[in-house]
Amino acid sequence: MQKELWKGNEAIAEAAVRAGCDAYFGYPITPQNEIPEYMSRRMQEENRVFVQAESELAAINMVYGAAAAGMRAMTSSSSPGISLKQEGISYLIGAELPAVIVNMMRGGPGLGTIQPSQSDYFQATRSPGHGDGHMIVLAPSGIQEAVDLMQDSFDLADRWRTPVMMLADGMIGQMMEPIAWKQRPAAPAVDKPWATTGQGERGHTNFVTSLRLDSVDNEAFNEALQQKYADIGRQKTRYEEVDCEDAELILVAFGTTARIALSAARKLRQEGIRAGLFRPITLWPFPTLALQQVAGRPNVRAVLTVEMSAGQMVEDVRLALCGAKPVHFFGRTGGMIPEPAQVAQEIRRILKEEQA
Amino acid sequence: MSAHLFPPAGHRLYVIVGPYGSGKTEVAINLALRLAAQGRHPALADLDIVNPYFRSREKADLLEAAGVRVIAPSPATAAADLPALPAAVWQAIMGEDLTGVLDVGGDRNGARVLAGFAQQIEAQRPAVWYVLNRARPDNRSPQQALRSLREVEAYANLRVNGILSNSHLLHETTADLVRDGAAFAQEVAHLANLPIVCHAFPQALADELHDLQPQLPLTLYMNRPWETS
């Protein structure tokens, strides 16, 4: 298969088309503008739906409508725009609708900057919008992986009737990388007997809503939702582990930051310092058990979490390790990117400190 | 042709256009550095108003130190994605005591910025070079590549007068890929009735590709954060 050089945003859009996305709704914001731009052309070619909505709020509610009608629907935005979509995401969760949301993160808070960031980790993984909800959150570290995860995103959304977020920093959207388009077998078609596709011979009207006025009903729904989350957590965590077997320090990082961390680890190997990388690919559910096993090995003296934030994923790392190993943090904020040399220096400092 | 003869004397303005991912910025930076080495006082103008990241203005310190004047948006708007250009762009286009290099944004939208300067650019009898990367999805056939070239010309209101073959997959570029790309560029050049002005490829492949002439071996400057030390 001949590789091609693709820009991240365009590759993600094309991957969505190939994954059978029926309808795209969006609104422009840097650094993800190439997604709606690409979709505006490609979806028309495929005779599918593209709408540039009047706002992010409108776009996410159009996703709700299309998903309720059984379509594979998606939207994309960047941090401030994703904030606007929070209400709609909560409604998608409350109505158990499958949908795919891409967040090409930029530095906040507020309008912030158009430069890359990972500071929407809390927003994505805790409880998007209001209520006791979750969505599956996938974090690619390169464009090939982003392309591969788009297919999975739609499949997981349908399989679990849940929104799925691809959480990437702006660099993934803006950079170019060689990719190979893989011929993948289509996922088994998911039956959607709940979809509002017309009564037909069903004998009753389907009604998709997140409104459950009776608290007894609503608690039963919440309990079922939590059961679903427990099932997803048991089956769906993904991570990558590099050079951890003999590591005295484990770096934990996701997305492009993981590549920066790995670059630092490789550099330190030449100095005889053994650092390994643990990279969560599912941020929710977080790969807690796997991290416990990797960091629990007797050779591991310390853990360092690296993020483009003031320290968000590091909370999940601390929760996973429950004090079993010292957990340190290094981050850059506001659109600044950590440099491999800075990470390496931090590792040297920590190992010296742990020795003392 | 030995390295110091490219680019040949004769032009005082180089306009580098082409689709996203063709490698315009690396070509423009390397070209400017060569012009500096030739004592031709280059001024590199970053006219990229479509990309928010990976723009030549990020390499301003390195370029200035090597004798390349960098003309980029003022610090107030440098980190924004605003279609605002500094007045000094006129110096790159018309300045008599320097050699201008215009690094233009990708595709037709990037090229659109040139239209406002087209008359003055044309008056300089410039080199307008179209950077061609066979590995980009919009270059799956020579006909498709020619359509993109014509579109860029229409939006820029300028005629391309040379094709710069630069087929690459960033750090996965091989000599075979460069040669395939050169053959592809030849087909496009034939269809467009244009010359191939040179072959660009990563410096590391220079020995294997010594027969591709004229050539512009590239030092890659726009590294991603994990590729720096």
Side-chain angles (χ1 to χ4, degrees):
Chain A
M1 176 80 206
Q2 184 76 48
K3 281 191 175 181
E4 291 179 333
L5 187 68
W6 280 74
K7 187 167 191 167
N9 281 332
E10 293 181 338
I12 285 167
E14 176 63 25
V17 171
R18 292 180 190 220
C21 175
D22 299 302
Y24 173 93
F25 309 95
Y27 187 82
I29 183 171
T30 306
Q32 64 84 54
N33 283 327
E34 293 84 359
I35 298 178
E37 187 189 17
Y38 188 89
M39 285 305 223
S40 68
R41 180 164 42 90
R42 274 293 274 140
M43 294 298 266
Q44 203 172 356
E45 281 173 13
E46 297 287 329
N47 206 20
R48 303 186 202 168
V49 176
F50 168 87
V51 179
Q52 179 174 326
E54 69 269 34
S55 71
E56 287 85 350
L57 273 159
I60 193 73
N61 284 299
M62 289 175 187
V63 166
Y64 182 109
M71 297 177 102
R72 286 197 147 181
M74 80 173 277
T75 186
S76 65
S77 191
S78 178
S79 307
I82 295 291
S83 291
L84 284 165
K85 293 185 196 287
Q86 293 299 304
E87 181 195 45
I89 295 173
S90 176
Y91 280 42
L92 287 165
I93 291 168
E96 288 194 283
L97 287 174
V100 174
I101 301 148
V102 176
N103 181 359
M104 216 46 87
M105 290 179 281
R106 56 189 252 182
L111 276 173
T113 169
I114 61 174
Q115 297 302 314
S117 171
Q118 296 180 316
S119 51
D120 302 350
Y121 181 94
F122 281 156
Q123 189 192 51
T125 61
R126 287 325 193 242
S127 193
H130 56 277
D132 262 331
H134 280 296
M135 59 186 166
I136 295 173
V137 182
L138 303 172
S141 69
I143 298 176
Q144 182 72 58
E145 188 175 39
V147 160
D148 297 343
L149 287 177
M150 273 315 274
Q151 173 82 50
D152 295 336
S153 299
F154 282 100
D155 293 348
L156 287 168
D158 278 350
R159 160 76 182 79
W160 294 98
R161 288 187 64 181
T162 178
V164 174
M165 175 171 280
M166 178 175 288
L167 191 71
D169 64 79
M171 246 186 304
I172 298 266
Q174 291 301 321
M175 71 186 182
M176 299 217 176
E177 285 191 318
I179 61 163
W181 291 103
K182 299 168 187 165
Q183 292 295 334
R184 288 178 49 156
V190 174
D191 201 20
K192 298 180 177 179
W194 45 265
T196 55
T197 51
Q199 186 172 327
E201 289 166 13
R202 202 189 297 123
H204 67 274
T205 303
N206 277 344
F207 183 42
V208 176
T209 182
S210 64
L211 181 68
R212 291 173 196 86
L213 286 172
D214 184 334
S215 298
V216 174
D217 287 352
N218 201 34
E219 185 175 56
F221 171 76
N222 267 280
E223 282 167 357
L225 203 55
Q226 293 305 318
Q227 186 56 52
K228 175 165 86 174
Y229 293 152
D231 292 344
I232 296 174
R234 266 195 299 278
Q235 296 179 37
K236 289 296 164 198
T237 63
R238 296 187 201 184
Y239 59 93
E240 184 191 23
E241 192 192 316
V242 188
D243 295 341
C244 288
E245 299 72 24
D246 64 344
E248 44 194 329
L249 183 139
I250 301 288
L251 289 153
V252 187
F254 70 98
T256 59
T257 308
R259 295 169 77 164
I260 294 167
L262 187 59
S263 199
R266 296 243 153 101
K267 182 185 160 83
L268 288 175
R269 288 261 161 186
Q270 295 161 10
E271 295 174 21
I273 294 175
R274 299 185 310 278
L277 171 72
F278 183 87
R279 178 172 73 90
I281 298 170
T282 49
L283 300 181
W284 195 92
F286 192 76
T288 301
L289 284 176
L291 178 59
Q292 281 170 356
Q293 281 159 12
V294 169
R297 291 175 191 145
N299 47 293
V300 177
R301 290 159 53 201
V303 173
L304 172 61
T305 306
V306 185
E307 299 175 56
M308 283 189 274
S309 80
Q312 300 194 9
M313 183 178 70
V314 67
E315 291 197 359
D316 281 333
V317 174
R318 291 198 177 109
L319 282 169
L321 298 183
C322 283
K325 293 286 161 77
V327 175
H328 299 260
F329 174 74
F330 179 73
R332 297 295 302 270
T333 59
M336 296 300 287
I337 302 165
E339 291 165 19
Q342 293 173 326
V343 177
Q345 189 49 39
E346 198 58 20
I347 294 170
R348 288 189 204 99
R349 191 189 63 74
I350 290 165
L351 287 175
K352 196 179 270 180
E353 196 181 281
E354 294 295 339
Q355 208 147 32
Chain B
M1 187 180 287
S2 60
H4 67 276
L5 290 175
F6 187 85
H11 292 295
R12 75 140 300 280
L13 181 61
Y14 296 85
V15 184
I16 309 300
V17 297
Y20 282 135
S22 52
K24 293 175 299 299
T25 295
E26 295 286 14
V27 164
I29 291 176
N30 279 270
L31 182 65
L33 289 169
R34 284 214 171 192
L35 290 165
Q38 291 177 356
R40 292 168 67 183
H41 307 291
L44 172 65
D46 175 357
L47 303 192
D48 191 341
I49 58 159
V50 289
N51 273 316
Y53 305 170
F54 309 118
R55 301 176 289 197
S56 53
R57 68 195 69 157
E58 294 165 25
K59 298 295 159 194
D61 291 348
L62 178 149
L63 289 161
E64 296 273 358
V68 178
R69 185 171 162 205
V70 177
I71 297 171
S74 73
T77 59
D81 50 349
L82 287 172
L85 295 171
V89 168
W90 286 112
Q91 285 173 280
I93 294 170
M94 304 178 72
E96 282 172 10
D97 46 358
L98 50 77
T99 306
V101 178
L102 306 186
D103 176 18
V104 183
D107 289 343
R108 58 187 192 186
N109 290 328
R112 192 195 297 264
V113 72
L114 292 172
F117 304 105
Q119 261 187 326
Q120 289 80 3
I121 290 174
E122 206 67 82
Q124 300 289 326
R125 303 184 174 281
V128 182
W129 290 348
Y130 188 83
V131 183
L132 188 63
N133 178 7
R134 200 256 132 102
R136 282 284 292 157
D138 34 15
N139 289 329
R140 285 183 183 139
S141 72
Q143 290 73 19
Q144 197 187 6
L146 182 64
R147 271 199 301 280
S148 301
L149 186 154
R150 294 292 182 226
E151 207 173 60
V152 164
E153 285 184 323
Y155 275 72
N157 202 16
L158 285 172
R159 294 309 294 261
V160 167
N161 50 35
I163 289 176
L164 196 153
S165 180
N166 184 41
S167 284
H168 71 94
L169 283 170
L170 292 170
H171 297 285
E172 295 179 27
T173 309
T174 61
D176 283 348
L177 179 87
V178 175
R179 287 190 191 282
D180 281 356
F184 181 81
Q186 201 63 60
E187 287 182 67
V188 179
H190 180 72
L191 283 177
N193 195 25
L194 287 170
I196 291 187
V197 292
C198 86
H199 301 273
F201 45 78
Q203 182 76 52
L205 300 175
D207 285 348
E208 277 176 90
L209 296 170
H210 61 89
D211 56 308
L212 278 185
Q213 295 290 346
Q215 58 177 238
L216 177 62
L218 300 172
T219 302
L220 301 182
Y221 292 98
M222 305 304 289
N223 290 320
R224 277 106 34 110
W226 48 91
E227 291 157 355
T228 63
S229 56

